[in-house]
């Protein structure tokens, strides 16, 4: 499910406090990870990573 991939991207970012480190750990290119987090925000509500 696509939403699961978006949640994994968010969790990886939260655990590492860095989009670039999360992208490396998730085996994704750096531009893909923020897009997934944004799509998750669109689905569940804004500003998940901007607190």
């Amino acid at each position: 499910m696509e939403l699961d991939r978006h949640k994994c991207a968010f969790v990886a970012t939260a655990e590492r406090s860095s989009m670039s480190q999360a992208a490396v750990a998730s085996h994704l290119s750096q531009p893909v990870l923020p897009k997934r987090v944004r799509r998750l925000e669109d689905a569940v509500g804004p500003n998940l990573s901007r607190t």
Side-chain angles (χ1 to χ4, degrees), residues 6-44:
H6 300 330
K7 286 189 281 188
C8 289
F10 174 74
V11 169
T13 302
E15 288 176 341
R16 288 160 184 83
S17 300
S18 166
M19 289 263 186
S20 58
Q21 290 177 6
V24 170
S26 300
H27 306 287
L28 297 170
S29 65
Q30 199 280 333
V32 171
L33 194 87
K35 288 179 185 178
R36 288 189 180 178
V37 172
R38 267 187 261 124
R39 288 181 184 143
L40 179 63
E41 289 175 335
D42 290 344
V44 299

